[in-house]
Amino acid sequence: MITYKTNEQIQTMQKGGAILAAILKKTAELIKPGASAADLEQFAQKEISHAGAKPAFLNYKTKNSNPYPNILCVSVNNEVVHALPLINKIFQEGDVVGLDCGIWYKDLCVDAALTIACGNVDAQSRKLINTCREALQIGISKCRIDNYLGDMGFAIQKFVESQDFKVIKTLVGHGVGYQVHEDPQVPNFFPFDEKNPKNRGPKLKQGMTLAIEPMISVSSEKTKKGKDGFASITADCSLSAHFEHTIAVTKKGPVILTK
């Protein structure tokens, strides 16, 4: 069931989102050759506590998974999402590093992610990161009252494929707010009946709060489980990138809550 948030709740989520955005920005600044993913976890833990928020991912359990044991997801290169911030995960020059984090602020959840180049990366890696970042903005631009969920996915997929990359189709975004994951699912591709263009999925309405998160790769649309038991990695082990914002659907258009 899709939930809707009041203006007051959206304002609260925006305050929480600003906290989360600042924490992610500061944490990303620690990514450099020789640093450990565990260093980022420890830093984020202190920042979340200092801000008076609570981690949303720690001990979070989906229907078919074990409780997630950390605050951050730190995914490197072919790890798309949900990778553990292990102490032996040491960043190397040229790595592509994704950070994903959610927090609870005054009983409402916000979720965001970004991808960072570690030191100097090659041209393809840079293009992949920039394409994913732009794909998120394109998806957000479609997040308007009376548009449909499929409009976002279609726009994201069209742009990503125009840049000769692939959208991951085994993972999607989601509603967020009262829970970490809520209805509806938010695909980054057009998942509905292409033979029936009228079937564009749920209509977007005021008060919806969505975690829009393009996940793309160099050459694979599918994922498989990583060695740490939590990560989803590209099926062909190609490079991946991931960006995410929590968005509110309002009368004035889409509002980015995590900036």
Side-chain angles (χ1 to χ4, degrees), residues 105-119:
Y105 179 75
K106 296 187 177 180
D107 298 322
L108 290 165
C109 183
V110 288
D111 191 0
L114 48 78
T115 298
I116 297 292
C118 180

Side-chain angles (χ1 to χ4, degrees), residues 1-227:
M1 181 179 71
I2 296 173
T3 66
Y4 302 89
K5 315 307 186 294
T6 65
N7 289 336
E8 183 178 3
Q9 288 172 323
I10 288 172
Q11 289 174 5
T12 298
M13 290 178 70
Q14 193 165 25
K15 292 177 182 178
I19 291 170
L20 176 57
I23 290 170
L24 275 177
K25 183 176 183 294
K26 291 179 183 178
T27 304
E29 291 170 354
L30 302 179
I31 296 173
K32 58 184 178 181
S36 164
D39 297 336
L40 276 56
E41 169 81 2
Q42 293 173 3
F43 178 82
Q45 183 178 20
K46 292 177 182 178
E47 290 292 309
I48 290 171
S49 177
H50 180 73
K54 296 179 181 179
F57 295 174
L58 182 64
N59 296 320
Y60 181 73
K61 186 180 186 302
T62 61
K63 184 177 180 180
N64 299 314
S65 74
N66 294 318
Y68 189 77
N70 292 98
I71 287 169
L72 278 181
C73 300
V74 182
S75 305
V76 180
N77 295 333
N78 68 338
E79 295 175 329
V80 184
V81 287
H82 305 154
L84 297 177
L86 301 174
I87 193 167
N88 62 351
K89 184 179 284 186
I90 307 298
F91 304 130
Q92 306 294 322
E93 184 85 15
D95 280 344
V96 172
V97 183
L99 299 182
D100 190 357
C101 189
I103 64 170
W104 290 101
Y105 179 75
K106 296 187 177 180
D107 298 322
L108 290 165
C109 183
V110 288
D111 191 0
L114 48 78
T115 298
I116 297 292
C118 180
N120 295 314
V121 299
D122 60 29
Q124 184 182 56
S125 298
R126 183 71 62 185
K127 182 181 177 183
L128 183 75
I129 293 170
N130 290 339
T131 296
C132 194
R133 183 189 295 110
E134 189 169 348
L136 174 57
Q137 296 303 319
I138 289 169
I140 291 170
S141 72
K142 301 296 183 182
C143 196
R144 298 180 180 276
I145 292 172
D146 291 337
N147 276 357
Y148 291 83
L149 204 62
D151 298 334
M152 286 190 289
F154 178 80
I156 289 170
Q157 182 180 8
K158 182 179 179 181
F159 173 70
V160 170
E161 291 179 351
S162 77
Q163 301 302 302
D164 297 322
F165 295 124
K166 299 290 186 181
V167 170
I168 299 295
K169 293 186 176 179
T170 49
L171 299 162
V172 296
H174 51 92
V176 65
Y178 298 135
Q179 300 177 51
V180 177
H181 291 111
E182 300 178 354
D183 290 334
Q185 292 190 341
V186 183
N188 300 301
F189 52 94
F190 191 81
F192 308 107
D193 185 358
E194 294 183 13
K195 295 180 180 179
N196 179 11
K198 293 182 180 179
N199 183 12
R200 294 149 65 196
K203 181 178 282 191
L204 300 178
K205 298 180 181 180
Q206 182 178 354
M208 293 174 73
T209 47
L210 306 172
I212 303 175
E213 48 179 326
M215 292 162 274
I216 71 173
S217 82
V218 169
S219 55
S220 181
E221 296 179 344
K222 297 181 179 180
T223 57
K224 59 185 179 181
K225 187 67 71 177
K227 292 181 180 180

